[in-house]
C-alpha cells in the first residue's frame, strides 16, 4: 500500500508543469506585473503602448534553425499584433463615444454639486482612456481608429443618468468580450485595467439611478463586437 502511494507521489512530482494562461501568467509573473505598473504610472498616455513581445531561443542551435525560428517568431508576432490592434481600435471607438457623451453631459449643465463633479471625473477618465488606446495602437505600428462622432439624446438629468448607466455597462461588457481574444499579455493588462474602471463607473451610476450594481448576477456577461 505504501509502495503504491509512493509511486503515485513520484508520478505527481515528475509530471511536467502545465502552461499557464495569460491571466494566470500576469498574476504569477512578477516581471510582467511590475512592467505594467511602471507603464501605468508614467505621465505619457502613449506609454501604455510600450509593449514588449519577446522571442526566446537557444544559443546552441545551428544558424539555419535559428533563422527558421526567428522567421516563425516574426510571423507569429505580426499576426498577434494585427489581431490586438483591431481589438484596441474597437475599444478606442467605444472610448471615443464615452468621452463625447460625458463632454455633452457636462456641457448641458444638468448636474451640479457632487454628482456634477462625479460626471466630470468620469468624463476625464474616459478621455484618458482614449489617449492611452491611441498611443497603444500607434506604438504597435497601427493607425488609430477615427472618431465616429456619436450623437446622444440629452434631455433630462434622469434620462441622462440612466443612459450613462447603460453606456458604462456596455463598455465593461465589451472589454470582457474581447479578453479571451487578446494575444499580448501587456495589451490584456491594459484592457483589464480599463475594464475595471468601466465596471466601477457602472456600479456607481447604478447607485445613483437605483438600479442593480450587478445586473447580470454573479457572473458578468460579455458582448461581442
Amino acid at each position: 500500500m505504501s509502495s503504491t502511494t509512493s509511486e503515485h507521489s513520484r508520478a505527481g512530482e515528475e509530471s511536467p508543469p502545465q502552461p499557464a494562461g495569460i491571466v494566470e501568467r500576469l498574476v504569477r509573473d512578477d516581471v510582467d506585473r511590475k512592467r505594467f505598473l511602471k507603464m501605468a504610472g508614467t505621465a505619457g498616455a502613449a506609454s501604455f503602448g510600450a509593449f514588449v513581445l519577446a522571442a526566446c531561443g537557444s544559443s546552441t542551435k545551428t544558424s539555419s534553425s535559428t533563422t527558421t525560428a526567428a522567421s516563425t517568431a516574426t510571423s507569429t508576432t505580426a499576426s498577434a499584433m494585427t489581431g490586438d490592434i483591431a481589438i484596441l481600435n474597437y475599444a478606442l471607438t467605444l472610448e471615443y463615444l464615452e468621452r463625447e457623451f460625458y463632454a455633452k453631459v457636462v456641457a448641458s449643465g444638468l448636474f451640479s454639486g457632487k454628482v456634477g463633479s462625479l460626471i466630470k471625473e468620469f468624463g476625464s477618465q474616459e478621455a484618458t482612456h482614449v489617449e492611452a488606446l491611441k498611443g497603444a495602437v500607434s506604438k504597435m505600428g497601427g493607425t488609430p481608429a477615427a472618431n465616429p462622432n456619436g450623437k446622444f439624446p440629452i434631455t433630462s438629468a434622469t434620462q441622462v443618468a440612466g443612459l450613462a448607466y447603460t453606456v458604462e455597462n456596455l463598455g465593461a461588457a465589451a472589454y470582457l468580450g474581447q479578453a479571451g481574444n487578446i494575444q499580448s499579455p501587456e495589451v490584456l493588462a491594459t484592457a483589464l485595467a480599463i475594464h475595471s474602471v468601466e465596471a466601477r463607473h457602472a456600479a456607481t451610476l447604478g447607485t445613483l439611478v437605483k438600479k442593480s450594481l450587478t445586473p447580470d448576477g454573479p457572473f458578468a456577461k460579455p458582448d461581442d463586437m
Side-chain angles (χ1 to χ4, degrees):
M1 189 71 172
S2 60
S3 175
T4 302
T5 303
S6 177
E7 288 177 1
H8 280 299
S9 177
R10 287 198 299 272
E13 291 175 357
E14 294 172 359
S15 297
Q18 296 300 310
I22 286 181
V23 174
E24 186 177 354
R25 283 166 53 197
L26 283 173
V27 172
R28 289 183 175 182
D29 193 333
D30 191 52
V31 174
D32 272 348
R33 186 163 56 252
K34 287 181 178 179
R35 178 169 54 191
F36 170 68
L37 291 174
K38 181 179 180 181
M39 288 191 297
T42 55
S47 64
F48 280 95
F51 307 130
V52 179
L53 300 176
C56 300
S58 172
S59 59
T60 60
K61 294 181 179 179
T62 62
S63 58
S64 60
S65 62
T66 301
T67 301
T68 301
S71 177
T72 302
T74 300
S75 175
T76 302
T77 299
S79 176
M81 289 177 67
T82 300
D84 285 353
I85 287 173
I87 292 172
L88 286 169
N89 269 328
Y90 165 58
L92 174 58
T93 301
L94 295 173
E95 295 294 345
Y96 276 138
L97 293 172
E98 289 184 288
R99 179 185 67 176
E100 187 167 359
F101 168 70
Y102 280 111
K104 289 183 177 180
V105 172
V106 170
S108 72
L110 290 172
F111 298 94
S112 59
K114 291 183 178 180
V115 175
S117 297
L118 188 68
I119 294 296
K120 288 181 180 179
E121 182 180 355
F122 284 4
S124 175
Q125 290 173 351
E126 301 298 357
T128 300
H129 291 168
V130 167
E131 296 308 313
L133 291 169
K134 285 173 65 177
V137 172
S138 296
K139 285 291 185 180
M140 294 186 78
T143 300
N147 190 336
N149 295 316
K151 295 181 180 180
F152 297 93
I154 308 294
T155 58
S156 68
T158 300
Q159 175 266 334
V160 167
L163 181 56
Y165 173 76
T166 299
V167 167
E168 292 288 6
N169 274 296
L170 175 62
Y175 279 100
L176 181 60
Q178 292 306 309
N181 300 324
I182 296 173
Q183 299 180 53
S184 162
E186 287 77 17
V187 173
L188 178 61
T190 301
L192 290 177
I194 296 177
H195 166 268
S196 177
V197 173
E198 300 291 323
R200 293 178 187 189
H201 285 181
T204 302
L205 289 163
T207 300
L208 182 64
V209 298
K210 294 179 172 57
K211 290 188 177 183
S212 175
L213 306 190
T214 54
D216 298 320
F219 298 99
K221 294 180 180 179
D223 274 346
D224 57 27
M225 286 192 185

